[in-house]
Amino acid sequence: MSSQPQVSPLNIGIDEASRAKIADGLSRLLADTYTLYLKTHNFHWNVTGPMFQTLHLMFETQYTELALAVDLVAERIRALGYPAPGTYSQYAQLSSIPETEGVPKAKEMISLLVAGQEAIVRTARSIFPLVEEVNDEPTADLLTQRMQVHEKTAWMLRSLLEE
């Protein structure tokens, strides 16, 4: 998806073409983050089994963190001068995280969330070369923070799958 034209001229030391590419990458990150938020919230509502209480609370902590993250990513897109995507159809088009049909068992939920966390790390990492090339430190900082959160969360979820 190509970002829409910027709303007003910006002079922040990053050329327009680079800002557009970064905004496109961040739009994919936003879509992944929102998709994982929705999936995690769904699993929070629908988890069952012997680990119900643990997973119910863990998923709540995770979807709350993701809800805050979507705002940070969207606001960075806006700071670069572009509109942030905000519809389900845009997210479905941009996200690398597939929807989950039905209600999986708890262990499959955990596996799906690990995959989603890792997908977000890959999306964030894919934006880094351009961000570094144009010295976009605020975006680099955001990406670094997001990768740290998602790598740690994936590790914690993965540990639940070990026998």
Side-chain angles (χ1 to χ4, degrees):
M1 179 188 135
S2 200
S3 293
Q4 297 175 7
Q6 65 190 53
V7 177
S8 60
L10 290 176
N11 185 9
I12 60 172
I14 303 171
D15 65 88
E16 185 176 345
S18 295
R19 285 193 330 276
K21 289 177 187 174
I22 293 167
D24 282 344
L26 289 173
S27 293
R28 289 184 290 108
L29 182 66
L30 178 61
D32 279 355
T33 304
Y34 195 89
T35 301
L36 187 59
Y37 158 80
L38 191 59
K39 183 178 291 210
T40 306
H41 210 152
N42 175 28
F43 291 172
H44 163 79
W45 290 326
N46 292 299
V47 69
T48 59
M51 290 188 59
F52 167 78
Q53 185 67 15
T54 299
L55 294 177
H56 185 74
L57 293 174
M58 178 184 264
F59 294 166
E60 181 176 15
T61 299
Q62 291 172 5
Y63 78 69
T64 300
E65 195 284 327
L66 289 161
L68 296 172
V70 295
D71 203 46
L72 295 172
V73 176
E75 288 177 355
R76 184 62 195 151
I77 295 168
R78 295 296 300 135
L80 290 168
Y82 291 90
T87 66
Y88 290 124
S89 62
Q90 287 174 306
Y91 292 152
Q93 190 175 40
L94 291 167
S95 183
S96 67
I97 300 171
E99 286 187 322
T100 300
E101 297 295 324
V103 179
K105 298 288 185 196
K107 193 168 184 177
E108 185 182 352
M109 286 179 178
I110 296 166
S111 293
L112 290 166
L113 293 179
V114 168
Q117 295 286 340
E118 291 176 346
I120 291 177
V121 172
R122 289 189 303 275
T123 298
R125 197 174 306 281
S126 74
I127 304 165
F128 248 102
L130 176 59
V131 168
E132 288 179 330
E133 180 182 320
V134 297
N135 299 316
D136 182 358
E137 289 85 359
T139 301
D141 183 51
L142 174 65
L143 294 173
T144 299
Q145 290 178 39
R146 297 312 315 147
M147 288 189 301
Q148 286 174 335
V149 167
H150 294 291
E151 287 177 356
K152 183 176 182 178
T153 303
W155 157 61
M156 290 182 165
L157 286 165
R158 247 189 328 275
S159 71
L160 293 171
L161 297 172
E162 293 178 7
E163 297 297 323

